[in-house]
Amino acid sequence: MEYTFYAEQIYRLKEGIVQARVLPAQEAEALGYEDGYTAQKPEGRLYVDGFDSEAAARYHLEGLTDCKIMN
């Protein structure tokens, strides 16, 4: 994997929120994620971004409007 941590973000248009979590590289890889991955899921639009540290991933998520970090 290219990064140590990945931020998984699901934009839930109906609820008007972003549901997010920080994943270690192993878990992201098991889900088939990589930096820049996007997909349309039944619950909303999924975006995945890679980061060199957990702190950097959390900082990114904390800057998103109406973001609920799940872990």
Side-chain angles (χ1 to χ4, degrees):
M1 298 290 298
E2 186 177 355
Y3 292 96
T4 309
F5 290 92
Y6 289 80
E8 175 194 70
Q9 306 141 81
I10 300 175
Y11 288 75
R12 297 177 167 267
L13 293 178
K14 291 181 183 176
E15 293 94 348
I17 65 166
V18 178
Q19 181 179 339
R21 60 186 180 149
V22 177
L23 305 172
Q26 301 85 350
E27 191 173 343
E29 184 176 31
L31 292 168
Y33 295 167
E34 59 184 35
D35 184 46
Y37 178 86
T38 64
Q40 185 63 47
K41 301 285 186 176
E43 59 271 16
R45 186 79 180 156
L46 169 69
Y47 294 91
V48 178
D49 295 303
F51 295 91
D52 291 324
S53 70
E54 182 176 0
R58 290 191 181 281
Y59 181 79
H60 167 73
L61 295 175
E62 289 167 358
L64 299 177
T65 302
D66 295 322
C67 182
K68 310 290 186 209
I69 301 173
M70 306 307 288
N71 65 346

PDB file of all heavy atoms in Angstrom, residues 10-37:
ATOM      1  N   ILE A  10     -17.958   8.668   3.365  1.00  0.00           N
ATOM      2  CA  ILE A  10     -19.199   8.406   2.634  1.00  0.00           C
ATOM      3  C   ILE A  10     -20.066   9.652   2.747  1.00  0.00           C
ATOM      4  O   ILE A  10     -20.458  10.054   3.848  1.00  0.00           O
ATOM      5  CB  ILE A  10     -19.940   7.176   3.182  1.00  0.00           C
ATOM      6  CG1 ILE A  10     -19.050   5.938   3.069  1.00  0.00           C
ATOM      7  CG2 ILE A  10     -21.253   6.973   2.429  1.00  0.00           C
ATOM      8  CD1 ILE A  10     -19.632   4.689   3.691  1.00  0.00           C
ATOM      9  N   TYR A  11     -20.327  10.270   1.606  1.00  0.00           N
ATOM     10  CA  TYR A  11     -21.164  11.474   1.553  1.00  0.00           C
ATOM     11  C   TYR A  11     -22.617  11.033   1.444  1.00  0.00           C
ATOM     12  O   TYR A  11     -23.045  10.534   0.419  1.00  0.00           O
ATOM     13  CB  TYR A  11     -20.743  12.359   0.380  1.00  0.00           C
ATOM     14  CG  TYR A  11     -19.420  13.020   0.633  1.00  0.00           C
ATOM     15  CD1 TYR A  11     -18.227  12.312   0.549  1.00  0.00           C
ATOM     16  CD2 TYR A  11     -19.363  14.358   1.016  1.00  0.00           C
ATOM     17  CE1 TYR A  11     -17.015  12.917   0.815  1.00  0.00           C
ATOM     18  CE2 TYR A  11     -18.146  14.970   1.280  1.00  0.00           C
ATOM     19  CZ  TYR A  11     -16.974  14.237   1.176  1.00  0.00           C
ATOM     20  OH  TYR A  11     -15.771  14.838   1.444  1.00  0.00           O
ATOM     21  N   ARG A  12     -23.356  11.204   2.544  1.00  0.00           N
ATOM     22  CA  ARG A  12     -24.755  10.784   2.627  1.00  0.00           C
ATOM     23  C   ARG A  12     -25.641  11.989   2.329  1.00  0.00           C
ATOM     24  O   ARG A  12     -25.938  12.778   3.226  1.00  0.00           O
ATOM     25  CB  ARG A  12     -25.045  10.208   4.004  1.00  0.00           C
ATOM     26  CG  ARG A  12     -24.233   8.964   4.307  1.00  0.00           C
ATOM     27  CD  ARG A  12     -24.516   8.481   5.730  1.00  0.00           C
ATOM     28  NE  ARG A  12     -23.995   7.160   5.947  1.00  0.00           N
ATOM     29  CZ  ARG A  12     -24.701   6.042   5.774  1.00  0.00           C
ATOM     30  NH1 ARG A  12     -25.954   6.093   5.390  1.00  0.00           N
ATOM     31  NH2 ARG A  12     -24.141   4.871   5.994  1.00  0.00           N
ATOM     32  N   LEU A  13     -26.047  12.098   1.077  1.00  0.00           N
ATOM     33  CA  LEU A  13     -26.812  13.271   0.649  1.00  0.00           C
ATOM     34  C   LEU A  13     -28.159  13.383   1.357  1.00  0.00           C
ATOM     35  O   LEU A  13     -28.578  14.474   1.726  1.00  0.00           O
ATOM     36  CB  LEU A  13     -27.005  13.243  -0.865  1.00  0.00           C
ATOM     37  CG  LEU A  13     -25.719  13.411  -1.681  1.00  0.00           C
ATOM     38  CD1 LEU A  13     -26.022  13.313  -3.166  1.00  0.00           C
ATOM     39  CD2 LEU A  13     -25.055  14.730  -1.356  1.00  0.00           C
ATOM     40  N   LYS A  14     -28.849  12.264   1.546  1.00  0.00           N
ATOM     41  CA  LYS A  14     -30.176  12.302   2.182  1.00  0.00           C
ATOM     42  C   LYS A  14     -30.101  12.845   3.607  1.00  0.00           C
ATOM     43  O   LYS A  14     -30.980  13.575   4.041  1.00  0.00           O
ATOM     44  CB  LYS A  14     -30.814  10.914   2.173  1.00  0.00           C
ATOM     45  CG  LYS A  14     -31.207  10.461   0.791  1.00  0.00           C
ATOM     46  CD  LYS A  14     -31.850   9.093   0.817  1.00  0.00           C
ATOM     47  CE  LYS A  14     -32.159   8.627  -0.594  1.00  0.00           C
ATOM     48  NZ  LYS A  14     -32.682   7.277  -0.624  1.00  0.00           N
ATOM     49  N   GLU A  15     -29.055  12.455   4.346  1.00  0.00           N
ATOM     50  CA  GLU A  15     -28.900  12.908   5.727  1.00  0.00           C
ATOM     51  C   GLU A  15     -28.141  14.227   5.821  1.00  0.00           C
ATOM     52  O   GLU A  15     -28.116  14.866   6.867  1.00  0.00           O
ATOM     53  CB  GLU A  15     -28.168  11.850   6.568  1.00  0.00           C
ATOM     54  CG  GLU A  15     -28.958  10.570   6.760  1.00  0.00           C
ATOM     55  CD  GLU A  15     -28.605   9.524   5.707  1.00  0.00           C
ATOM     56  OE1 GLU A  15     -27.932   9.842   4.706  1.00  0.00           O
ATOM     57  OE2 GLU A  15     -29.024   8.373   5.885  1.00  0.00           O
ATOM     58  N   GLY A  16     -27.448  14.608   4.758  1.00  0.00           N
ATOM     59  CA  GLY A  16     -26.681  15.842   4.764  1.00  0.00           C
ATOM     60  C   GLY A  16     -25.425  15.778   5.601  1.00  0.00           C
ATOM     61  O   GLY A  16     -24.995  16.786   6.161  1.00  0.00           O
ATOM     62  N   ILE A  17     -24.829  14.594   5.702  1.00  0.00           N
ATOM     63  CA  ILE A  17     -23.611  14.423   6.506  1.00  0.00           C
ATOM     64  C   ILE A  17     -22.557  13.645   5.726  1.00  0.00           C
ATOM     65  O   ILE A  17     -22.849  13.031   4.700  1.00  0.00           O
ATOM     66  CB  ILE A  17     -23.887  13.678   7.835  1.00  0.00           C
ATOM     67  CG1 ILE A  17     -24.349  12.243   7.562  1.00  0.00           C
ATOM     68  CG2 ILE A  17     -24.869  14.434   8.705  1.00  0.00           C
ATOM     69  CD1 ILE A  17     -24.321  11.333   8.778  1.00  0.00           C
ATOM     70  N   VAL A  18     -21.354  13.692   6.277  1.00  0.00           N
ATOM     71  CA  VAL A  18     -20.275  12.829   5.809  1.00  0.00           C
ATOM     72  C   VAL A  18     -19.990  11.857   6.945  1.00  0.00           C
ATOM     73  O   VAL A  18     -19.731  12.270   8.071  1.00  0.00           O
ATOM     74  CB  VAL A  18     -18.996  13.633   5.494  1.00  0.00           C
ATOM     75  CG1 VAL A  18     -17.872  12.699   5.053  1.00  0.00           C
ATOM     76  CG2 VAL A  18     -19.270  14.682   4.438  1.00  0.00           C
ATOM     77  N   GLN A  19     -20.081  10.566   6.652  1.00  0.00           N
ATOM     78  CA  GLN A  19     -19.742   9.534   7.636  1.00  0.00           C
ATOM     79  C   GLN A  19     -18.338   9.061   7.295  1.00  0.00           C
ATOM     80  O   GLN A  19     -18.058   8.716   6.153  1.00  0.00           O
ATOM     81  CB  GLN A  19     -20.722   8.378   7.564  1.00  0.00           C
ATOM     82  CG  GLN A  19     -20.449   7.292   8.573  1.00  0.00           C
ATOM     83  CD  GLN A  19     -21.470   6.179   8.471  1.00  0.00           C
ATOM     84  OE1 GLN A  19     -22.564   6.350   7.954  1.00  0.00           O
ATOM     85  NE2 GLN A  19     -21.099   5.014   8.946  1.00  0.00           N
ATOM     86  N   ALA A  20     -17.436   9.079   8.279  1.00  0.00           N
ATOM     87  CA  ALA A  20     -16.038   8.787   7.981  1.00  0.00           C
ATOM     88  C   ALA A  20     -15.407   7.909   9.049  1.00  0.00           C
ATOM     89  O   ALA A  20     -15.888   7.825  10.176  1.00  0.00           O
ATOM     90  CB  ALA A  20     -15.263  10.092   7.864  1.00  0.00           C
ATOM     91  N   ARG A  21     -14.314   7.267   8.652  1.00  0.00           N
ATOM     92  CA  ARG A  21     -13.485   6.527   9.599  1.00  0.00           C
ATOM     93  C   ARG A  21     -12.072   6.458   9.051  1.00  0.00           C
ATOM     94  O   ARG A  21     -11.850   6.587   7.850  1.00  0.00           O
ATOM     95  CB  ARG A  21     -14.041   5.136   9.892  1.00  0.00           C
ATOM     96  CG  ARG A  21     -14.157   4.230   8.693  1.00  0.00           C
ATOM     97  CD  ARG A  21     -14.861   2.938   9.057  1.00  0.00           C
ATOM     98  NE  ARG A  21     -14.962   2.083   7.877  1.00  0.00           N
ATOM     99  CZ  ARG A  21     -14.961   0.778   7.908  1.00  0.00           C
ATOM    100  NH1 ARG A  21     -14.878   0.145   9.062  1.00  0.00           N
ATOM    101  NH2 ARG A  21     -15.057   0.072   6.803  1.00  0.00           N
ATOM    102  N   VAL A  22     -11.129   6.264   9.957  1.00  0.00           N
ATOM    103  CA  VAL A  22      -9.722   6.125   9.599  1.00  0.00           C
ATOM    104  C   VAL A  22      -9.382   4.645   9.644  1.00  0.00           C
ATOM    105  O   VAL A  22      -9.670   3.960  10.632  1.00  0.00           O
ATOM    106  CB  VAL A  22      -8.817   6.920  10.562  1.00  0.00           C
ATOM    107  CG1 VAL A  22      -7.355   6.699  10.232  1.00  0.00           C
ATOM    108  CG2 VAL A  22      -9.167   8.401  10.507  1.00  0.00           C
ATOM    109  N   LEU A  23      -8.774   4.156   8.569  1.00  0.00           N
ATOM    110  CA  LEU A  23      -8.430   2.743   8.462  1.00  0.00           C
ATOM    111  C   LEU A  23      -6.921   2.566   8.332  1.00  0.00           C
ATOM    112  O   LEU A  23      -6.278   3.316   7.597  1.00  0.00           O
ATOM    113  CB  LEU A  23      -9.081   2.132   7.225  1.00  0.00           C
ATOM    114  CG  LEU A  23     -10.595   2.263   7.084  1.00  0.00           C
ATOM    115  CD1 LEU A  23     -11.026   1.787   5.708  1.00  0.00           C
ATOM    116  CD2 LEU A  23     -11.288   1.492   8.176  1.00  0.00           C
ATOM    117  N   PRO A  24      -6.365   1.547   9.005  1.00  0.00           N
ATOM    118  CA  PRO A  24      -4.962   1.225   8.745  1.00  0.00           C
ATOM    119  C   PRO A  24      -4.833   0.628   7.339  1.00  0.00           C
ATOM    120  O   PRO A  24      -5.818   0.137   6.764  1.00  0.00           O
ATOM    121  CB  PRO A  24      -4.616   0.206   9.827  1.00  0.00           C
ATOM    122  CG  PRO A  24      -5.922  -0.351  10.273  1.00  0.00           C
ATOM    123  CD  PRO A  24      -6.958   0.700  10.019  1.00  0.00           C
ATOM    124  N   ALA A  25      -3.649   0.655   6.797  1.00  0.00           N
ATOM    125  CA  ALA A  25      -3.419   0.204   5.424  1.00  0.00           C
ATOM    126  C   ALA A  25      -3.914  -1.226   5.181  1.00  0.00           C
ATOM    127  O   ALA A  25      -4.503  -1.507   4.140  1.00  0.00           O
ATOM    128  CB  ALA A  25      -1.938   0.318   5.078  1.00  0.00           C
ATOM    129  N   GLN A  26      -3.717  -2.115   6.137  1.00  0.00           N
ATOM    130  CA  GLN A  26      -4.121  -3.509   5.954  1.00  0.00           C
ATOM    131  C   GLN A  26      -5.633  -3.637   5.759  1.00  0.00           C
ATOM    132  O   GLN A  26      -6.100  -4.400   4.916  1.00  0.00           O
ATOM    133  CB  GLN A  26      -3.690  -4.378   7.152  1.00  0.00           C
ATOM    134  CG  GLN A  26      -2.210  -4.382   7.410  1.00  0.00           C
ATOM    135  CD  GLN A  26      -1.749  -3.210   8.276  1.00  0.00           C
ATOM    136  OE1 GLN A  26      -2.488  -2.262   8.554  1.00  0.00           O
ATOM    137  NE2 GLN A  26      -0.494  -3.252   8.689  1.00  0.00           N
ATOM    138  N   GLU A  27      -6.396  -2.897   6.552  1.00  0.00           N
ATOM    139  CA  GLU A  27      -7.853  -2.948   6.438  1.00  0.00           C
ATOM    140  C   GLU A  27      -8.329  -2.307   5.136  1.00  0.00           C
ATOM    141  O   GLU A  27      -9.232  -2.821   4.465  1.00  0.00           O
ATOM    142  CB  GLU A  27      -8.500  -2.253   7.640  1.00  0.00           C
ATOM    143  CG  GLU A  27      -9.985  -2.500   7.730  1.00  0.00           C
ATOM    144  CD  GLU A  27     -10.592  -1.966   9.007  1.00  0.00           C
ATOM    145  OE1 GLU A  27      -9.853  -1.687   9.967  1.00  0.00           O
ATOM    146  OE2 GLU A  27     -11.827  -1.829   9.045  1.00  0.00           O
ATOM    147  N   ALA A  28      -7.705  -1.199   4.762  1.00  0.00           N
ATOM    148  CA  ALA A  28      -8.061  -0.536   3.505  1.00  0.00           C
ATOM    149  C   ALA A  28      -7.769  -1.450   2.320  1.00  0.00           C
ATOM    150  O   ALA A  28      -8.570  -1.552   1.384  1.00  0.00           O
ATOM    151  CB  ALA A  28      -7.286   0.774   3.368  1.00  0.00           C
ATOM    152  N   GLU A  29      -6.646  -2.133   2.364  1.00  0.00           N
ATOM    153  CA  GLU A  29      -6.270  -3.048   1.282  1.00  0.00           C
ATOM    154  C   GLU A  29      -7.269  -4.198   1.179  1.00  0.00           C
ATOM    155  O   GLU A  29      -7.673  -4.592   0.078  1.00  0.00           O
ATOM    156  CB  GLU A  29      -4.866  -3.590   1.516  1.00  0.00           C
ATOM    157  CG  GLU A  29      -4.377  -4.475   0.388  1.00  0.00           C
ATOM    158  CD  GLU A  29      -2.943  -4.920   0.580  1.00  0.00           C
ATOM    159  OE1 GLU A  29      -2.492  -5.073   1.743  1.00  0.00           O
ATOM    160  OE2 GLU A  29      -2.263  -5.107  -0.439  1.00  0.00           O
ATOM    161  N   ALA A  30      -7.710  -4.723   2.323  1.00  0.00           N
ATOM    162  CA  ALA A  30      -8.686  -5.815   2.333  1.00  0.00           C
ATOM    163  C   ALA A  30     -10.011  -5.386   1.704  1.00  0.00           C
ATOM    164  O   ALA A  30     -10.726  -6.210   1.126  1.00  0.00           O
ATOM    165  CB  ALA A  30      -8.902  -6.310   3.760  1.00  0.00           C
ATOM    166  N   LEU A  31     -10.321  -4.091   1.788  1.00  0.00           N
ATOM    167  CA  LEU A  31     -11.552  -3.565   1.194  1.00  0.00           C
ATOM    168  C   LEU A  31     -11.363  -3.166  -0.268  1.00  0.00           C
ATOM    169  O   LEU A  31     -12.310  -2.727  -0.925  1.00  0.00           O
ATOM    170  CB  LEU A  31     -12.033  -2.355   2.000  1.00  0.00           C
ATOM    171  CG  LEU A  31     -12.521  -2.663   3.420  1.00  0.00           C
ATOM    172  CD1 LEU A  31     -12.694  -1.385   4.218  1.00  0.00           C
ATOM    173  CD2 LEU A  31     -13.818  -3.455   3.368  1.00  0.00           C
ATOM    174  N   GLY A  32     -10.134  -3.291  -0.770  1.00  0.00           N
ATOM    175  CA  GLY A  32      -9.858  -2.932  -2.159  1.00  0.00           C
ATOM    176  C   GLY A  32      -9.638  -1.452  -2.378  1.00  0.00           C
ATOM    177  O   GLY A  32      -9.687  -0.967  -3.500  1.00  0.00           O
ATOM    178  N   TYR A  33      -9.370  -0.713  -1.300  1.00  0.00           N
ATOM    179  CA  TYR A  33      -9.172   0.727  -1.392  1.00  0.00           C
ATOM    180  C   TYR A  33      -7.737   1.074  -1.765  1.00  0.00           C
ATOM    181  O   TYR A  33      -6.804   0.331  -1.470  1.00  0.00           O
ATOM    182  CB  TYR A  33      -9.472   1.402  -0.054  1.00  0.00           C
ATOM    183  CG  TYR A  33     -10.890   1.340   0.421  1.00  0.00           C
ATOM    184  CD1 TYR A  33     -11.196   1.677   1.727  1.00  0.00           C
ATOM    185  CD2 TYR A  33     -11.936   0.960  -0.403  1.00  0.00           C
ATOM    186  CE1 TYR A  33     -12.503   1.648   2.206  1.00  0.00           C
ATOM    187  CE2 TYR A  33     -13.237   0.928   0.058  1.00  0.00           C
ATOM    188  CZ  TYR A  33     -13.515   1.265   1.360  1.00  0.00           C
ATOM    189  OH  TYR A  33     -14.803   1.235   1.834  1.00  0.00           O
ATOM    190  N   GLU A  34      -7.577   2.233  -2.371  1.00  0.00           N
ATOM    191  CA  GLU A  34      -6.288   2.860  -2.614  1.00  0.00           C
ATOM    192  C   GLU A  34      -6.524   4.360  -2.621  1.00  0.00           C
ATOM    193  O   GLU A  34      -7.674   4.808  -2.659  1.00  0.00           O
ATOM    194  CB  GLU A  34      -5.670   2.395  -3.925  1.00  0.00           C
ATOM    195  CG  GLU A  34      -6.528   2.688  -5.132  1.00  0.00           C
ATOM    196  CD  GLU A  34      -5.946   2.136  -6.422  1.00  0.00           C
ATOM    197  OE1 GLU A  34      -5.334   1.067  -6.412  1.00  0.00           O
ATOM    198  OE2 GLU A  34      -6.116   2.813  -7.454  1.00  0.00           O
ATOM    199  N   ASP A  35      -5.456   5.134  -2.574  1.00  0.00           N
ATOM    200  CA  ASP A  35      -5.586   6.583  -2.567  1.00  0.00           C
ATOM    201  C   ASP A  35      -6.320   7.043  -3.823  1.00  0.00           C
ATOM    202  O   ASP A  35      -5.999   6.631  -4.930  1.00  0.00           O
ATOM    203  CB  ASP A  35      -4.202   7.231  -2.501  1.00  0.00           C
ATOM    204  CG  ASP A  35      -4.267   8.739  -2.399  1.00  0.00           C
ATOM    205  OD1 ASP A  35      -5.068   9.239  -1.593  1.00  0.00           O
ATOM    206  OD2 ASP A  35      -3.528   9.411  -3.130  1.00  0.00           O
ATOM    207  N   GLY A  36      -7.341   7.876  -3.626  1.00  0.00           N
ATOM    208  CA  GLY A  36      -8.117   8.399  -4.748  1.00  0.00           C
ATOM    209  C   GLY A  36      -9.273   7.521  -5.183  1.00  0.00           C
ATOM    210  O   GLY A  36      -9.993   7.864  -6.122  1.00  0.00           O
ATOM    211  N   TYR A  37      -9.501   6.406  -4.489  1.00  0.00           N
ATOM    212  CA  TYR A  37     -10.592   5.489  -4.829  1.00  0.00           C
ATOM    213  C   TYR A  37     -11.944   6.182  -4.617  1.00  0.00           C
ATOM    214  O   TYR A  37     -12.147   6.870  -3.625  1.00  0.00           O
ATOM    215  CB  TYR A  37     -10.504   4.246  -3.940  1.00  0.00           C
ATOM    216  CG  TYR A  37     -11.597   3.237  -4.147  1.00  0.00           C
ATOM    217  CD1 TYR A  37     -11.499   2.271  -5.132  1.00  0.00           C
ATOM    218  CD2 TYR A  37     -12.736   3.239  -3.344  1.00  0.00           C
ATOM    219  CE1 TYR A  37     -12.500   1.333  -5.327  1.00  0.00           C
ATOM    220  CE2 TYR A  37     -13.743   2.308  -3.525  1.00  0.00           C
ATOM    221  CZ  TYR A  37     -13.621   1.358  -4.516  1.00  0.00           C
ATOM    222  OH  TYR A  37     -14.618   0.433  -4.703  1.00  0.00           O
TER     223      TYR A  37
END
